[in-house]
RNA sequence: GCCGACGUAGCUCAGUGGUAGAGCAGCUGUUUCGUAAACAGCAGGCCGCGGGUUCGAAUCCCACCGUCGGCUCCA
């Protein structure tokens, strides 16, 4: 791979409040952002500039412009960028005084604000490339000729400093790569990702739907999607049973006082629906399952010997999401969490948390998730308003998570300010096919709700003690998990999850009876099988089974009928030729058993 | 919610001021076929919804609803 980026050292750069390391690729993209800004300035001399950082697969720049850009402007901007790149203009750095900077950028309000936010002793630098000078810490490539092929990707609105009360700017997203080949490959990957989008596959394979009539963000699982969900649920519940969980069922609504006691009403109200009045009492569509499980715990008096008590439920919750945030199955208003609440003695906390992590690992391994990282989400000590409980409680809870991870040698990153209002979290961050990162699983240590609900157990000496609590959801919501799975497999689900595991394809009508016989054999082993007895050519039926990503196609004609066999075709296109029915059964049941 | 783009048949899309189209899917018939699309016919649309401009609107304008890409937030 040839690289146009200056070789060598990674540069330490102060950016947006924390120290970040700029790789050579980031540096090149950051320089490309300046080139883009320069091109935009040529077209709009009155443009106001905000920030233009590199991001994971490219870069963006935020502008305030006299009119809205459209994708039709892209070719013009790209043309001007290419001209600047070809000119090979040097990037010239200059360090200037604060006064001089304020003077230079007097007509650039966002730059002025940025300058004023810089610490007193900070060096202020500017970079000039061709006609364009920008306030910037750098670093940059030596000259614009070192910038690789660029492509503008999309437009978006973004608030100044990410604050919805500040002006809205136009954000121009673009990408740049060292070589044309790498750019082409990235664009190909984007295209490929679009093909795998769970919304597209969900439609093509009739897995689920969202209807305007029912309401945005409210998912209807169609029979095929529901089959997959049922398999997943059974799998999860069995794994939890093995791990010592007891399953409960609780209703989707509850009295408002439950949520006032838990603190949700005070801290989580923005995500909750308005109360429902029933006989002069107010009820809440639950946004979380914990209060119900806590009440279930309080059903009786618990001995220290009984703990931990692990109450699990595939619990459906409802959260208000702004209409613009809804997407397919991954961002919805009603969803089902594979939830559980563990009530344990404080001395059991660490071990219980280790078990939680182990269960996550087991489940992820079984469904083939590899690309995930642990993130410990901590309280922001500077913003105690957002959280309940005192410093000591938080320290204990945060340490319990760290200790648990350390004890099994798991690596993790820490994120300050990402905790839930009642406790720190362990989030498991997974990347989807588009490279976006989501919290697929969140798990919390909670010492607050046991207090709020006055939970107790009876200790060895007969005294009443307060248990600790763990909230855990290894796969988060079934909806989001399903979206991940769909994209990961591009709709070709493993056999154990496939809604239709085998299609029997009779070649001519006279083979239908035998086809039914074959299917009956498979059904006897609980294999989900269908017979395609339509008056269509075999080729047509194969094509449709392929498009539906059915793992096994069993073609039966005269020869197979004579031999008591079926010609096995896999969705990979592989032809296994005629196999005895007993062998077909063996193959499919083996796949199912091994979760392949 | 905010900015931008887009809403035409179940699906994918054409149609830019003058009588709504194609392919696939569906239905009916014919065909009985050896590993990714047989043939013919039929049916299917308040052109997202509501206003407006015009002799005339899928097409132009306004408002609303929805979808998509982002922002913010998040399982």
């Amino acid at each position: 791979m040839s690289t146009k980026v200056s070789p060598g050292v990674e540069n330490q750069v102060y950016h947006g409040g924390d120290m970040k390391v700029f790789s050579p690729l980031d540096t090149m993209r950051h320089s490309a952002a300046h080139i883009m800004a320069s091109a935009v300035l040529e077209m709009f001399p009155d443009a106001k500039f905000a920030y233009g950082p590199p991001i994971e697969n490219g870069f963006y720049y935020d502008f305030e412009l006299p009119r809205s850009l459209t994708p039709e402007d892209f070719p013009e901007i790209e043309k001007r960028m290419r001209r600047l790149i070809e000119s090979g203009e040097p990037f010239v750095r200059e360090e200037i005084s604060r006064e001089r900077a304020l003077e230079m950028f007097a007509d650039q309000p966002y730059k002025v604000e940025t300058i004023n936010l810089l610490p007193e002793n900070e060096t202020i630098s500017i970079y000039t490339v061709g006609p364009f000078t920008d306030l910037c810490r750098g670093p940059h490539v030596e000259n614009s000729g070192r910038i690789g092929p660029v492509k503008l990707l999309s437009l978006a609105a973004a608030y100044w400093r990410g604050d919805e009360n500040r002006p809205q700017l136009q954000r121009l997203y673009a990408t740049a790569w060292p070589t044309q080949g790498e750019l082409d490959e990235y664009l190909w990957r984007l295209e490929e990702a679009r093909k795998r989008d769970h919304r597209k596959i969900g439609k093509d394979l009739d897995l689920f739907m969202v209807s305007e009539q029912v309401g945005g963000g409210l998912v209807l699982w169609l029979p095929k999607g529901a089959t997959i969900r049922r398999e997943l649920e059974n799998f999860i519940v069995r794994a939890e049973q093995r791990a010592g969980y007891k399953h409960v069922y609780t209703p989707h609504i509850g009295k408002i006082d439950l949520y006032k006691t838990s603190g949700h009403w005070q801290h989580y109200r923005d995500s909750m629906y308005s109360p429902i009045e029933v006989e002069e009492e107010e009820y809440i569509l639950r946004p979380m399952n914990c209060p119900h499980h806590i009440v279930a715990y309080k059903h009786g008096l618990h001995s220290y010997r009984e703990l931990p008590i692990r109450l699990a439920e595939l619990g459906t919750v409802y959260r208000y999401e702004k209409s613009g945030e809804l997407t397919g199955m991954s961002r919805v208003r009603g969803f089902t969490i594979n939830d559980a609440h563990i009530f344990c003695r404080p001395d059991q906390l660490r071990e219980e948390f280790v078990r939680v992590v182990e269960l996550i690992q087991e489940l992820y391994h079984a469904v083939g998730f590899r690309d995930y990282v642990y993130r410990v989400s901590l309280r922001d000590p500077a913003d105690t308003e957002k959280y309940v409980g005192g410093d000591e409680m938080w320290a204990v809870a945060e340490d319990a998570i760290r200790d648990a991870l350390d004890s099994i040698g798991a690596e993790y990153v820490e994120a300050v300010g990402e905790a839930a209002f009642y406790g720190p979290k362990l989030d498991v961050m997974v990347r989807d096919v588009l490279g976006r990162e989501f919290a697929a699983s969140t798990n919390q240590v909670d010492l607050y709700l046991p207090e709020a609900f006055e939970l107790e157990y009876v200790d060895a000496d007969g005294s009443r003690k307060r248990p600790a609590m763990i909230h855990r959801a290894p796969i988060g919501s079934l909806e989001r998990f399903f979206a991940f799975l769909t994209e990961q497999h591009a709709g070709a689900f493993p056999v154990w999850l496939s809604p239709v595991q085998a299609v029997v394809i009779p070649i001519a009508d006279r083979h239908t009876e035998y086809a039914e016989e074959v299917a009956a054999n498979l059904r006897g082993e609980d294999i989900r099988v269908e017979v395609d007895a339509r008056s269509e050519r075999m080729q047509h039926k194969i094509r449709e089974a392929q498009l539906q990503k059915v793992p096994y196609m069993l073609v039966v004609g005269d020869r197979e009928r004579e031999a008591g066999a079926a010609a096995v075709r896999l969705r990979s296109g592989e032809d296994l030729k005629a196999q005895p029915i007993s062998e077909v059964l063996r193959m499919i049941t083996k796949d199912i058993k091994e979760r392949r």
Side-chain angles (χ1 to χ4, degrees):
Chain A
M1 156 177 130
S2 87
T3 172
K4 286 183 158 187
V5 176
S6 335
V9 278
E10 292 182 330
N11 302 281
Q12 290 281 322
V13 175
Y14 182 84
H15 185 89
D18 50 4
M19 294 299 282
K20 279 191 182 167
V21 174
F22 267 32
S23 69
L25 190 56
D26 285 339
T27 303
M28 187 268 270
R29 286 172 174 158
H30 183 204
S31 299
H34 278 234
I35 295 296
M36 185 163 76
S38 180
V40 168
L41 181 66
E42 282 178 25
M43 293 168 66
F44 304 95
D46 294 334
K48 305 286 182 254
F49 298 89
Y51 283 135
I55 51 176
E56 188 168 0
N57 286 308
F59 58 93
Y60 67 79
Y61 211 115
D62 288 344
F63 309 103
E64 187 185 302
L65 300 173
R67 71 164 170 88
S68 290
L69 290 172
T70 79
E72 282 157 31
D73 294 311
F74 288 5
E76 180 67 24
I77 299 172
E78 283 177 352
K79 199 173 86 191
R80 288 169 190 269
M81 286 176 73
R82 259 180 245 116
R83 204 158 58 214
L84 285 157
I85 289 169
E86 280 160 21
S87 73
E89 292 280 351
F91 275 84
V92 180
R93 178 186 170 95
E94 200 183 332
E95 290 183 4
I96 58 176
S97 69
R98 184 169 296 254
E99 294 66 36
R100 173 93 179 96
L102 288 170
E103 191 184 317
M104 274 186 79
F105 293 102
D107 60 345
Q108 289 288 344
Y110 303 107
K111 298 295 174 187
V112 168
E113 187 172 335
T114 305
I115 293 165
N116 287 329
L117 282 168
L118 291 172
E120 205 50 49
N121 55 353
E122 189 76 15
T123 309
I124 295 177
S125 60
I126 55 172
Y127 277 84
T128 302
V129 57
F132 179 66
T133 298
D134 199 0
L135 176 76
C136 180
R137 196 157 308 270
H140 281 286
V141 294
E142 267 168 51
N143 68 69
S144 62
R146 291 185 173 270
I147 295 169
V150 294
K151 182 161 177 66
L152 270 53
L153 295 176
S154 59
L155 280 164
Y159 300 106
W160 169 237
R161 303 184 67 78
D163 181 345
E164 60 185 324
N165 301 311
R166 309 290 311 262
Q168 195 162 38
L169 307 168
Q170 296 192 60
R171 176 169 297 178
L172 198 45
Y173 281 97
T175 191
W177 294 81
T179 63
Q180 186 66 39
E182 284 160 280
L183 173 63
D184 290 344
E185 202 220 300
Y186 173 66
L187 296 175
W188 177 82
R189 254 167 45 216
L190 279 184
E191 183 55 35
E192 200 52 26
R194 266 191 278 275
K195 286 189 209 155
R196 287 165 170 254
D197 191 308
H198 75 278
R199 290 165 294 188
K200 175 178 162 47
I201 290 175
K203 197 184 271 183
D204 289 349
L205 301 189
D206 299 318
L207 302 177
F208 71 93
M209 66 181 287
V210 179
S211 157
E212 201 179 321
Q213 244 182 315
V214 173
L218 300 170
V219 173
L220 311 187
W221 295 71
L222 298 173
K224 287 179 176 168
T227 299
I228 297 172
R229 171 170 167 165
R230 180 71 71 201
E231 287 293 337
L232 280 172
E233 288 180 348
N234 290 343
F235 165 64
I236 289 161
V237 167
R238 277 188 219 112
E240 285 172 345
Q241 285 169 337
R242 282 195 301 273
Y245 289 82
K246 303 290 180 205
H247 290 82
V248 298
Y249 290 100
T250 60
H252 298 188
I253 65 173
K255 282 191 191 174
I256 194 166
D257 277 358
L258 208 47
Y259 298 92
K260 286 183 177 165
T261 305
S262 69
H264 287 103
W265 187 246
Q266 296 84 330
H267 291 275
Y268 203 72
R269 197 170 173 176
D270 287 350
S271 299
M272 294 166 66
Y273 292 101
S274 310
I276 305 163
E277 202 188 299
V278 182
E279 293 176 351
E280 294 176 33
E281 295 242 46
E282 290 190 309
Y283 286 77
I284 289 289
L285 254 183
R286 68 176 175 194
M288 303 245 182
N289 302 309
C290 21
H292 286 84
H293 291 181
I294 286 170
V295 172
Y297 172 86
K298 291 182 82 168
H299 172 65
L301 204 54
H302 298 287
S303 153
Y304 72 101
R305 296 169 195 271
E306 280 179 77
L307 302 183
I309 290 174
R310 310 179 186 93
L311 298 182
E313 177 178 14
L314 292 157
T316 304
V317 298
Y318 300 88
R319 297 184 190 170
Y320 169 68
E321 300 282 353
K322 296 175 190 169
S323 53
E325 322 182 293
L326 302 172
T327 25
M329 276 236 187
S330 45
R331 207 55 199 282
V332 295
R333 284 179 172 161
F335 56 96
T336 300
I337 307 175
N338 87 116
D339 214 350
H341 296 92
I342 300 170
F343 303 88
C344 64
R345 302 190 308 259
D347 64 286
Q348 294 172 316
L349 198 50
R350 196 192 69 170
E351 192 194 330
E352 277 306 301
F353 208 84
V354 167
R355 284 166 181 260
V356 166
V357 175
E358 286 169 349
L359 182 61
I360 289 171
Q361 289 171 341
E362 180 194 332
L363 294 175
Y364 282 22
H365 181 78
V367 298
F369 272 19
R370 299 286 181 273
D371 188 10
Y372 59 90
V373 297
Y374 297 119
R375 184 181 79 182
V376 177
S377 297
L378 307 168
R379 178 179 68 145
D380 180 358
D383 190 8
T384 50
E385 276 294 290
K386 263 173 68 179
Y387 310 95
V388 295
D391 293 347
E392 194 193 340
M393 184 199 96
W394 279 84
V396 169
E398 292 179 354
D399 285 345
I401 296 180
R402 288 196 189 100
D403 289 351
L405 289 170
D406 290 341
S407 76
I408 55 168
E411 288 188 17
Y412 55 92
V413 296
E414 298 197 345
V416 172
E418 296 289 331
F421 73 83
Y422 50 80
K425 298 192 291 185
L426 170 67
D427 295 321
V428 187
M429 312 299 291
V430 183
R431 282 189 185 282
D432 77 359
V433 114
L434 290 156
R436 291 175 300 200
E437 204 175 47
F438 286 101
S441 168
T442 80
N443 311 278
Q444 292 123 20
V445 168
D446 179 4
L447 304 174
Y448 175 75
L449 290 179
E451 203 69 47
F453 282 92
E454 299 177 332
L455 299 186
E456 289 178 340
Y457 66 91
V458 181
D459 210 350
D461 61 3
S463 66
R464 303 286 174 108
K465 293 278 171 59
R466 189 127 290 161
M469 242 179 105
I470 296 171
H471 307 238
R472 45 106 276 182
I475 65 158
S477 84
L478 286 169
E479 283 75 6
R480 184 172 286 178
F481 188 71
F482 181 82
F484 279 131
L485 270 188
T486 303
E487 297 186 0
Q488 170 162 324
H489 297 291
F493 294 97
V495 179
W496 71 284
L497 290 174
S498 287
V500 177
Q501 293 165 319
V503 173
V504 187
I505 299 175
I507 289 174
D509 286 352
R510 65 177 181 279
H511 308 121
T512 303
E513 196 182 330
Y514 177 63
E516 291 292 358
E517 203 181 299
V518 170
N521 264 304
L522 300 196
R523 270 185 213 110
E525 296 293 320
D526 285 333
I527 293 165
R528 293 185 289 271
V529 59
E530 287 178 0
V531 175
D532 189 347
R534 293 173 306 162
S535 166
E536 291 287 351
R537 294 170 69 217
M538 176 201 64
Q539 283 89 334
H540 187 80
K541 297 175 184 178
I542 287 177
R543 177 181 153 81
E544 295 213 336
Q546 283 288 151
L547 292 174
Q548 288 294 309
K549 323 247 186 200
V550 176
Y552 283 94
M553 282 155 265
L554 308 175
V555 178
V556 296
D558 292 332
R559 298 199 297 264
E560 287 74 18
R561 185 171 55 187
E562 293 317 305
V568 179
R569 180 195 160 103
L570 306 180
R571 62 188 159 190
S572 62
E574 195 181 348
D575 185 355
L576 301 181
K577 306 291 181 189
Q579 299 289 337
I581 298 305
S582 57
E583 175 58 16
V584 174
L585 280 170
R586 198 195 61 78
M587 280 191 291
I588 302 178
T589 48
K590 183 165 183 281
D591 278 354
I592 294 171
K593 191 152 184 280
E594 293 175 3
R595 298 218 164 76
R596 277 200 286 211

